[in-house]
Amino acid sequence: MAEAQKTKNIKRLSVVKLSLNQLDPRAFFGEHHVHLDMVRQYFSEVQISSRGSDIKIEGDKKEVQRVKSILEQMMQVLRHSGDLTPGTINLLLEGTHPAHNANGFAGGSVIVHGRGGKVIKAKTPTQEEMVRVTRANDIVFVTGPAGTGKTYLAVALAVSALKNKQVNRIILTRPAIEAGENLGFLPGDLKEKIDPFLRPLYDALDDMFSPDKLRYFEENRIIEIAPLAYMRGRTLDNAFIIMDEAQNASSLQIKMFLTRLGPNAKCIVTGDLSQVDLPGHQRSGLRHATDLLKDVRGIGFVQFGVSDVVRHRLVKEIINAYDRARVEKAKRDSESGSAGR
């Protein structure tokens, strides 16, 4: 009986080999094989080994087939988009990436080619929706948690519009609000003082332009990055304007910004309403604006969720944990208020 069970178990084992063919092994496996390690961690009962551009999968037949499917989808994503990230792999592992669709990879068309020919395109269905809504409206409000690619995709859309001569310039702005820290006196000239607040915008641009090209655009004011306060009194025409971290702007600041738009201007306003850093529990102007303008024709709205997170797989878990804690605290506060009455 024991021998029969042993024979049955042996029959369930399977070995499958895959080849990357013409795909770049470094892009597929990631630095220090981080991409393959993510799959190994998710399928801990399966042995996955690699040699050159070949992959060997050993283990239970059903699990081996699941791993094979994930690895083939990773190849498909890399082949179509030219890029493979830990965030994308996390979506594939959880079954929320467009590559799970019956028709294969469902990512949108290329938005823009970045630095070194890097292909930049929507990575999730909600990112695809953001592209569609932006093309159909002159003002778009994009809200959702950190790590969903809101800012990066907005910058890519702006760069695409500039390269296609749909606009003459790009203007990027955000409120200079300290995220829960007192930075104190900052040394240096004006640019050095405000650069830390604007660094995420520079990071996105660095992916899309060489340092020399970006420097040329900045020196000739084709690309302008400035704090929100510097928008007052201006008329922004023939421009693609992005307001990032808008949850930290007051209602008056949001109104001031939106009324800067001139002819042939397009605007994206991004923010995360769960990370408001305004002092004294001041209400976010972003929340007020999305409520007030929801029925205005020509203004679009896109809402990202936790499932759209494309950063490290743990970012999603961290957001969920904080959300649960917030809900539980609100419940306790409500119960304690009822008891007091």
Side-chain angles (χ1 to χ4, degrees):
M1 184 73 176
E3 190 65 31
Q5 183 64 38
K6 183 178 179 182
T7 303
K8 182 180 178 182
N9 288 338
I10 291 174
K11 287 181 179 179
R12 290 180 59 206
L13 295 179
S14 175
V15 178
V16 170
K17 295 181 179 180
L18 294 175
S19 176
L20 298 181
N21 296 322
Q22 297 181 344
L23 291 175
D24 181 0
R26 291 174 299 177
F28 182 83
F29 293 124
E31 189 175 358
H32 305 304
H33 278 216
V34 65
H35 297 164
L36 207 58
D37 286 343
M38 289 181 67
V39 181
R40 288 189 180 113
Q41 185 176 356
Y42 198 88
F43 295 98
S44 57
E45 301 297 317
V46 178
Q47 291 185 344
I48 308 170
S49 56
S50 64
R51 184 172 184 178
S53 60
D54 296 325
I55 305 170
K56 184 178 180 181
I57 315 165
E58 300 177 81
D60 178 81
K61 185 174 182 179
K62 287 185 178 180
E63 290 298 288
V64 164
Q65 289 303 313
R66 289 180 64 197
V67 173
K68 178 176 178 285
S69 176
I70 292 294
L71 294 175
E72 287 174 339
Q73 289 169 24
M74 288 166 58
M75 294 178 195
Q76 189 178 23
V77 169
L78 182 58
R79 191 174 293 114
H80 282 80
S81 70
D83 186 34
L84 189 63
T85 67
T88 299
I89 295 168
N90 187 49
L91 293 174
L92 289 170
L93 291 170
E94 295 186 352
T96 57
H97 192 278
H100 282 277
N101 290 355
N103 295 327
F105 183 74
S109 58
V110 175
I111 298 170
V112 69
H113 286 89
R115 188 174 170 183
K118 178 180 180 180
V119 176
I120 298 172
K121 61 195 297 185
K123 293 182 178 179
T124 69
T126 310
Q127 286 194 0
E128 290 182 40
E129 180 189 358
M130 178 177 166
V131 174
R132 177 184 59 79
V133 172
T134 300
R135 288 172 176 165
N137 296 274
D138 287 336
I139 298 175
V140 179
F141 286 90
V142 183
T143 55
T148 50
K150 304 182 299 295
T151 300
Y152 190 87
L153 195 60
V155 173
L157 288 164
V159 170
S160 173
L162 180 67
K163 287 187 173 183
N164 291 326
K165 302 188 185 305
Q166 296 169 335
V167 297
N168 297 333
R169 54 185 174 151
I170 296 173
I171 299 171
L172 309 174
T173 186
R174 65 190 317 204
I177 296 289
E178 300 165 357
E181 302 173 76
N182 183 5
L183 301 181
F185 174 77
L186 293 173
D189 59 22
L190 180 62
K191 185 177 187 302
E192 291 170 329
K193 290 177 188 293
I194 64 177
D195 269 4
F197 296 104
L198 306 173
R199 177 45 50 189
L201 299 172
Y202 282 108
D203 288 344
L205 288 170
D206 284 342
D207 248 13
M208 300 176 204
F209 295 113
S210 68
D212 289 342
K213 191 75 170 178
L214 183 55
R215 191 179 308 112
Y216 169 83
F217 281 149
E218 286 193 86
E219 288 174 353
N220 289 274
R221 301 183 70 80
I222 296 171
I223 294 180
E224 181 182 350
I225 306 178
L228 179 59
Y230 284 47
M231 298 297 106
R232 189 175 298 278
R234 301 180 60 182
T235 299
L236 309 175
D237 55 0
N238 293 306
F240 199 117
I241 311 136
I242 298 171
M243 180 181 179
D244 191 35
E245 296 289 331
Q247 77 275 4
N248 288 327
S250 68
S251 293
L252 288 176
Q253 286 176 314
I254 295 275
K255 178 186 176 184
M256 177 274 292
F257 171 75
L258 293 176
T259 54
R260 300 305 94 204
L261 270 64
N264 192 39
K266 188 176 280 285
C267 169
I268 296 180
V269 179
T270 69
D272 177 2
L273 289 168
S274 71
Q275 295 192 26
V276 178
D277 298 311
L278 289 168
H281 303 290
Q282 184 179 345
R283 188 189 185 198
S284 169
L286 177 59
R287 187 182 299 278
H288 178 245
T290 53
D291 291 341
L292 187 67
L293 304 174
K294 61 184 177 182
D295 297 321
V296 177
R297 188 175 180 181
I299 299 181
F301 298 86
V302 179
Q303 173 70 56
F304 282 85
V306 176
S307 62
D308 296 301
V309 170
V310 291
R311 285 184 188 162
H312 192 286
R313 64 181 183 83
L314 289 176
V315 172
K316 189 180 299 184
E317 298 300 322
I318 291 167
I319 293 171
N320 282 330
Y322 275 93
D323 283 346
R324 286 194 298 270
R326 178 177 51 80
V327 170
E328 289 170 4
K329 181 179 183 302
K331 183 179 178 181
R332 287 195 304 270
D333 290 346
S334 175
E335 289 173 351
S336 122
S338 298
R341 290 195 297 270

